[in-house]
Amino acid sequence: MKRFDLLVFLLGLSLAVGLTGCYNKEPREEVLKVYNWGDYINEDVLVNFPKWYEEQTGKHIRVIYQTFDINEIMLTKIERGHEDYDVVCPSEYIIERMLKKDILLPIDTAFGKTPNYLHNLSPYIIKQLNEVSQPGRPTERYAVGYMWGTAGIMYNKAHATREEASTWESLWNPKFVKQLLMKDSYRDAYGTAIIYANRKGLMDGTIHVNDLMNNYSDEAIAIAEENLKAMKPNIAGWEADFGKEMMTKGKAALNMTWSGDAVWAIEEAEAVGVKLGYEVPREGSNIWFDGWVIPKYSKNPKVASYFINYMCRPDVALANMEATGYVSAVATPEILEAMEDSTFEETTNLSYFFGPEARAVRVNPIQYPDSSVVARCAMIHDSAKRTEAVLAMWSHVKGDNLEGGLVVLILLTVAMLVMYKVYIILKRNKNKVYQRVRRRKARS
């Protein structure tokens, strides 16, 4: 992971230094611009793609690689800034929004002598992503699944039990005051709060998680706000990415997080003697999907299609899984064989993903959840029409996080900065007056 950070730095440095003149030095068709999440690809995969592409087509290509950490920022750069990224990796609800706005190009599957690796995708992934299709624009023509996973609770086994982590109620349990790291993601937080509020109905079967995850009524938003504010005494920090590292260092008892981050953290923590676990709460949760798309303003869509095809090769998929901890949408026998692990005592039913031959296999259940876990999860759809209302709720929750003493400290700091600025201005003016007096005396 640290070597990848260096790669991103070097690539970013190369981009910053060379972007202004790179198109003057080489044709745009020889450049592929990839925009992806941070820490979400194997560095060798990026390095090896140009060689593979040249072997397939006889043509040269150079990859410019950039990263983002918020879906909406990525979308704004493309939709409003008309950035000419060739390949982007948004989450399912942003794919849905991009389809609605008609800012995606179809993937060109005419690969010539190159095999079509897109056929390696799990039918389950294709079906799930097709749920966000728009009239005349089926998702499978415009997007190819990359990684997928669940949202759940990572826990420190020295401070929390598996039973406690198996319910969302633990996030509100007074036992964990200032011991919870919460994802700084309004969508995940919203879904968690709504599920918690309806936990009794979910457990007795009168409500299904699908009925809740995409309910953005005024009543639901108010309930989410109330419950998230009630959770705040337990929150030690809102995190976008540092939670997994904090958990490996034993700095918190619970972390509302994503399955891939949990896999990475559990492995890292074990090396330093910290025991972590991960559970998808029994009430239900979010199941998410990220996929590759080609934005409307791409200048090199043909090479982008080759890149997406390349990412679906089994060996490439395995390399990316190894680097990230997340699970590929590719579902070939090679993947299943590589991921089977006899050290896991319990078997997992993965027939929904790999087919009937995978009804009872030993794999990491965090990466590949059992069919029973998937059945109690739901995908979050685009909520563009209600985003403003949800974000207003989110600002109320996050804004109230400032305690009185902290507010006073911030105000004092601002006041001191203003006073210092005034002092500098007055001193500068005084010096100017002094210099003018000296000049007058010199002339006289």
Side-chain angles (χ1 to χ4, degrees):
M1 300 295 285
K2 298 302 179 186
R3 289 192 299 130
F4 180 74
D5 290 342
L6 176 62
L7 175 71
V8 171
F9 170 77
L10 293 174
L11 286 168
L13 181 61
S14 172
L15 179 66
V17 173
L19 250 189
T20 55
C22 70
Y23 299 143
N24 295 327
K25 298 176 182 178
E26 60 190 325
R28 180 63 174 87
E29 62 268 19
E30 293 184 4
V31 175
L32 179 73
K33 294 179 65 175
V34 181
Y35 201 25
N36 190 18
W37 299 88
D39 294 340
Y40 211 35
I41 200 168
N42 184 293
E43 60 183 86
D44 290 333
V45 166
L46 281 177
V47 171
N48 292 334
F49 173 71
K51 180 181 177 181
W52 177 84
Y53 178 74
E54 189 167 3
E55 290 173 350
Q56 303 305 309
T57 66
K59 298 178 181 179
H60 171 77
I61 195 70
R62 182 171 73 89
V63 176
I64 291 178
Y65 187 82
Q66 290 180 271
T67 63
F68 62 89
D69 56 10
I70 299 176
N71 270 300
E72 285 75 10
I73 290 178
M74 173 274 296
L75 180 60
T76 298
K77 291 181 74 172
I78 292 171
E79 182 183 7
R80 299 183 184 176
H82 293 187
E83 289 277 358
D84 63 335
Y85 296 113
D86 299 307
V87 185
V88 180
C89 187
S91 299
E92 72 293 303
Y93 75 101
I94 293 294
I95 293 175
E96 182 175 9
R97 194 176 303 178
M98 294 174 97
L99 286 170
K100 288 177 180 177
K101 294 175 178 291
D102 194 18
I103 55 174
L104 294 180
L105 297 177
I107 296 168
D108 186 349
T109 58
F111 298 120
K113 68 175 184 178
T114 305
N116 186 338
Y117 297 110
L118 305 183
H119 298 313
N120 291 333
L121 291 179
S122 170
Y124 167 74
I125 299 294
I126 296 172
K127 179 182 178 182
Q128 293 298 308
L129 287 177
N130 273 341
E131 288 188 11
V132 305
S133 296
Q134 299 302 305
R137 290 189 286 274
T139 307
E140 60 186 301
R141 285 192 59 217
Y142 295 85
V144 168
Y146 178 47
M147 299 285 183
W148 67 288
T150 57
I153 299 174
M154 178 160 51
Y155 64 103
N156 186 319
K157 294 182 178 181
H159 304 293
T161 66
R162 182 179 182 182
E163 175 59 26
E164 288 171 326
S166 295
T167 172
W168 289 119
E169 292 186 60
S170 62
L171 304 190
W172 283 264
N173 188 337
K175 171 184 175 180
F176 300 111
V177 170
K178 296 299 180 185
Q179 297 185 61
L180 165 64
L181 295 172
M182 190 69 184
K183 268 282 174 273
D184 193 1
S185 164
Y186 75 90
R187 290 168 56 80
D188 291 288
Y190 182 86
T192 298
I194 291 296
I195 290 174
Y196 170 74
N198 291 274
R199 58 193 181 280
K200 291 183 180 179
L202 288 165
M203 294 308 296
D204 64 24
T206 57
I207 303 174
H208 191 272
V209 68
N210 277 316
D211 303 325
L212 300 174
M213 295 299 279
N214 297 291
N215 179 0
Y216 298 103
S217 64
D218 289 339
E219 180 184 5
I221 292 174
I223 290 172
E225 180 175 339
E226 178 185 358
N227 281 286
L228 288 173
K229 286 181 176 179
M231 180 202 293
K232 285 168 57 178
N234 287 3
I235 298 176
W238 300 91
E239 59 92 10
D241 190 53
F242 68 80
K244 57 187 179 185
E245 294 185 2
M246 294 290 286
M247 291 296 290
T248 65
K249 298 173 182 176
K251 299 295 185 180
L254 303 175
N255 181 199
M256 186 272 162
T257 191
W258 303 306
S259 52
D261 282 1
V263 170
W264 182 90
I266 290 169
E267 292 179 356
E268 292 289 312
E270 189 173 0
V272 295
V274 177
K275 302 295 183 183
L276 303 177
Y278 173 85
E279 294 293 325
V280 176
R282 54 177 171 263
E283 298 93 345
S285 187
N286 169 28
I287 192 164
W288 53 264
F289 307 88
D290 293 337
W292 297 108
V293 299
I294 303 174
K296 180 179 181 178
Y297 306 105
S298 165
K299 295 293 193 297
N300 209 346
K302 184 62 179 179
V303 180
S305 297
Y306 268 88
F307 180 84
I308 294 172
N309 189 37
Y310 168 76
M311 297 296 281
C312 294
R313 280 176 38 174
D315 59 325
V316 171
L318 284 169
N320 285 329
M321 289 172 66
E322 176 66 25
T324 67
Y326 286 95
V327 177
S328 172
V330 174
T332 63
E334 299 98 313
I335 299 286
L336 179 58
E337 181 180 358
M339 298 306 295
E340 286 189 279
D341 187 343
S342 60
T343 63
F344 290 98
E345 296 181 2
E346 298 181 6
T347 61
T348 302
N349 182 356
L350 299 182
S351 57
Y352 69 93
F353 191 82
F354 286 105
E357 66 275 13
R359 289 191 182 281
V361 293
R362 286 182 170 83
V363 296
N364 186 337
I366 300 176
Q367 291 182 299
Y368 288 102
D370 187 84
S371 58
S372 61
V373 175
V374 171
R376 65 175 186 263
C377 294
M379 179 173 65
I380 300 177
H381 285 259
D382 177 39
S383 60
K385 293 182 179 179
R386 296 291 289 164
T387 297
E388 186 175 343
V390 177
L391 287 177
M393 174 278 295
W394 187 237
S395 68
H396 298 159
V397 172
K398 297 291 295 297
D400 290 347
N401 224 30
L402 296 177
E403 297 176 356
L406 181 57
V407 172
V408 172
L409 178 61
I410 291 172
L411 291 175
L412 286 174
T413 302
V414 171
M416 291 176 66
L417 288 172
V418 171
M419 291 171 64
Y420 177 73
K421 183 68 174 178
V422 171
Y423 167 75
I424 292 297
I425 292 172
L426 291 174
K427 185 176 180 180
R428 186 181 300 124
N429 290 339
K430 182 179 179 180
N431 287 337
K432 288 180 179 178
V433 171
Y434 175 71
Q435 292 296 331
R436 283 198 297 270
V437 171
R438 287 191 62 184
R439 284 194 295 270
R440 287 195 192 107
K441 287 183 178 180
R443 285 196 296 269
S444 63

